[in-house]
Amino acid sequence: MEKTVIIGAGGVGNVVAHKCAQDAATFGEIWLASRTLAKCDAIAADIKAATGVEIKTAQLDADNVAEVVAFLKKVKPKILLNIALPYQDLTLMDACLEAGVHYLDTANYEPQDTAKFEYKWQWAYQEKFKAAGLTAILGSGFDPGVTNAYCAYALKHFFDEIETVDILDANAGDHGLPFATNFNPEINLREITANGRFWENGEWKETKPLEIGLDYPFPDDQVGTKRIYLLYHEELESLAQNLPGLKRIRFWMTFSDNYIKHLTVLQNIGMISIEPITYEGQEIVPIQFLKALLPDPASLGPLTKGKTCIGCLITGKLKETGETATKFIYNVCDHEECYAEVKSQAISYTAGVPAMIGARQLLSGAWLKPGVWNVEQLDPDPYMADLNEWGLPWQVIDAEPLP
């Protein structure tokens, strides 16, 4: 029997554990580990009630390489799914190398004391994983992850060459609260308040945070037309490198006026700062204090109604005719349906399901390839088929490119 370890018991970790349990024939003995054992036990109880599958739980400090190595050597899993914080990517990759375990994550490494995320730290592990005969799959969430697979699928089946990609991420859900983030507040707010960046004609171009916005008519009626804002997202870095002939790639996300109003106030008063301050003799980091005040994203599930629509607007030269065309490959996900299935809202669901699917490709052998890989470097076909099978069906339509 295979053994699978999942590290991280937040909203996304909950989804990953549920989905792996739904396919226990593939994932075998499933372990869910986190710094907070009570969270793991609560998820395990929900899974037992929903599926009848019993998963094992453990308390684990993902920052402690020696502790993780000892745990992995005891359990002997084939794969570790890192659903913890991006700060912990490198320690968990080190632990996998030492214990001889394959690795997968959903977000690239980011130093805790610097608001800058990029793949260079993880790409540097390429030769180590090759030498060990181990596979590391980076960024198998939705964006990054599914968006990368959409691009790879388009290049394999529709286009000889891709010229432009615009990744569009719309959340038309409403949780009814004055202000909350849909995933880890610390990571979310650091990402949004950083300068925007996009790749065009062989170079990176920078914008001010949320400086560029436009209205886009999403194909789902319940999502409708939404204001999207240009920002930097990690999959741009790998796709700019791995898509031949690419002239431009950008990432856009929707934010309501209310969200931006709260964000502006919090930023103006210094609550999003990552620089420590001293308060009554104790050192605190403002954004970490703010995280403690804001609603836990995992608590938003029963409150959130509406849909998400995430996809890639891709322009290129068609294989059959050589003519230039644009296609939109996308998924629509319903918050209430996600909660009914796994007790999580659609943001966690769309990030968690692809992690399970990426791990499924590795366990099946389809993506078993020693080294460190981004999703677009691997065969998209079995992954795309599993998206339809396991809860994230996709569609392709003809579309018009963005200006």
Side-chain angles (χ1 to χ4, degrees):
M1 177 188 287
E2 298 286 10
K3 294 183 180 180
T4 300
V5 165
I6 303 163
I7 296 183
V12 179
N14 170 67
V15 175
V16 175
H18 270 269
K19 299 303 285 191
C20 288
Q22 289 176 15
D23 189 19
T26 295
F27 290 94
E29 182 178 289
I30 300 166
W31 284 79
L32 178 62
S34 170
R35 198 187 305 266
T36 308
L37 183 61
K39 287 186 177 182
C40 298
D41 289 341
I43 292 171
D46 284 341
I47 289 172
K48 177 69 185 300
T51 68
V53 173
E54 292 190 21
I55 70 169
K56 298 180 182 295
T57 61
Q59 186 171 24
L60 190 67
D61 181 358
D63 291 317
N64 188 323
V65 175
E67 184 179 329
V68 176
V69 168
F71 174 70
L72 293 177
K73 286 184 175 180
K74 174 186 173 183
V75 174
K76 294 183 173 59
K78 186 167 185 178
I79 187 170
L80 180 152
L81 283 73
N82 170 14
I83 318 298
L85 294 172
Y87 315 140
Q88 295 159 331
D89 287 359
L90 302 187
T91 58
L92 292 177
M93 290 179 81
D94 286 334
C96 283
L97 282 169
E98 190 171 339
V101 176
H102 299 294
Y103 171 90
L104 177 143
D105 65 35
T106 62
N108 68 358
Y109 176 69
E110 180 176 356
Q112 191 162 6
D113 58 357
T114 307
K116 183 179 180 62
F117 48 91
E118 55 184 307
Y119 279 114
K120 69 176 184 181
W121 292 286
Q122 292 179 276
W123 284 344
Y125 280 69
Q126 175 70 263
E127 294 308 317
K128 292 180 182 178
F129 270 80
K130 277 187 177 179
L134 296 172
T135 301
I137 299 170
L138 307 183
S140 186
F142 203 108
D143 42 350
V146 175
T147 51
N148 302 60
Y150 284 172
C151 290
Y153 187 87
L155 187 60
K156 183 174 181 179
H157 294 282
F158 302 140
F159 302 112
D160 280 327
E161 188 176 84
I162 289 176
E163 297 175 356
T164 66
V165 178
D166 283 292
I167 300 169
L168 313 180
D169 186 329
N171 178 21
D174 182 9
H175 45 59
L177 300 175
F179 184 77
T181 62
N182 292 301
F183 60 95
N184 186 298
E186 188 176 354
I187 304 301
N188 187 208
L189 295 174
R190 282 166 61 132
E191 179 180 275
I192 294 166
T193 55
N195 282 344
R197 200 154 54 110
F198 65 98
W199 193 87
E200 186 173 41
N201 296 326
E203 63 180 6
W204 290 102
K205 298 183 178 180
E206 196 164 281
T207 67
K208 293 178 182 178
L210 307 183
E211 175 186 8
I212 299 174
L214 55 88
D215 293 329
Y216 185 78
F218 285 87
D220 185 85
D221 290 341
Q222 290 188 42
V223 177
T225 297
K226 289 284 181 287
R227 188 76 175 171
I228 57 174
Y229 294 88
L230 188 146
L231 55 113
Y232 179 68
H233 222 242
E234 62 207 69
E235 65 264 45
L236 302 187
E237 182 183 8
S238 68
L239 288 168
Q241 179 174 298
N242 292 323
L243 293 180
L246 189 68
K247 295 177 181 177
R248 188 187 70 207
I249 184 166
R250 302 178 295 190
F251 182 94
W252 307 79
M253 186 174 280
T254 59
F255 301 102
S256 68
D257 291 341
N258 177 66
Y259 188 98
I260 292 176
K261 177 180 69 176
H262 280 81
L263 183 68
T264 301
V265 171
L266 291 169
Q267 194 167 20
N268 286 345
I269 63 175
M271 285 301 295
I272 300 177
S273 173
I274 63 173
E275 298 299 324
I277 64 169
T278 301
Y279 175 72
E280 294 187 350
Q282 185 173 350
E283 190 176 85
I284 62 170
V285 177
I287 196 170
Q288 293 177 356
F289 178 70
L290 176 61
K291 176 184 175 182
L293 293 175
L294 291 174
D296 181 348
S299 71
L300 301 178
L303 304 176
T304 309
K305 296 174 173 56
K307 294 183 178 182
T308 64
C309 181
I310 313 173
C312 293
L313 194 64
I314 304 172
T315 299
K317 297 191 181 304
L318 293 172
K319 288 182 179 294
E320 300 86 357
T321 64
E323 295 178 351
T324 298
T326 301
K327 293 186 181 293
F328 188 43
I329 310 178
Y330 68 97
N331 161 266
V332 174
C333 204
D334 187 291
H335 285 285
E336 292 177 279
E337 290 178 4
C338 294
Y339 186 75
E341 181 189 347
V342 297
K343 291 192 174 179
S344 285
Q345 33 86 336
I347 304 301
S348 295
Y349 191 88
T350 54
V353 173
M356 172 268 200
I357 290 174
R360 204 169 185 274
Q361 308 317 306
L362 190 149
L363 293 173
S364 74
W367 284 6
L368 195 60
K369 180 181 177 183
V372 176
W373 311 106
N374 293 92
V375 169
E376 73 272 14
Q377 294 176 286
L378 303 163
D379 183 6
D381 288 356
Y383 187 89
M384 294 287 281
D386 273 357
L387 288 172
N388 284 328
E389 179 72 20
W390 292 98
L392 291 176
W394 46 276
Q395 301 179 59
V396 184
I397 60 172
D398 293 325
E400 294 296 323
L402 290 184

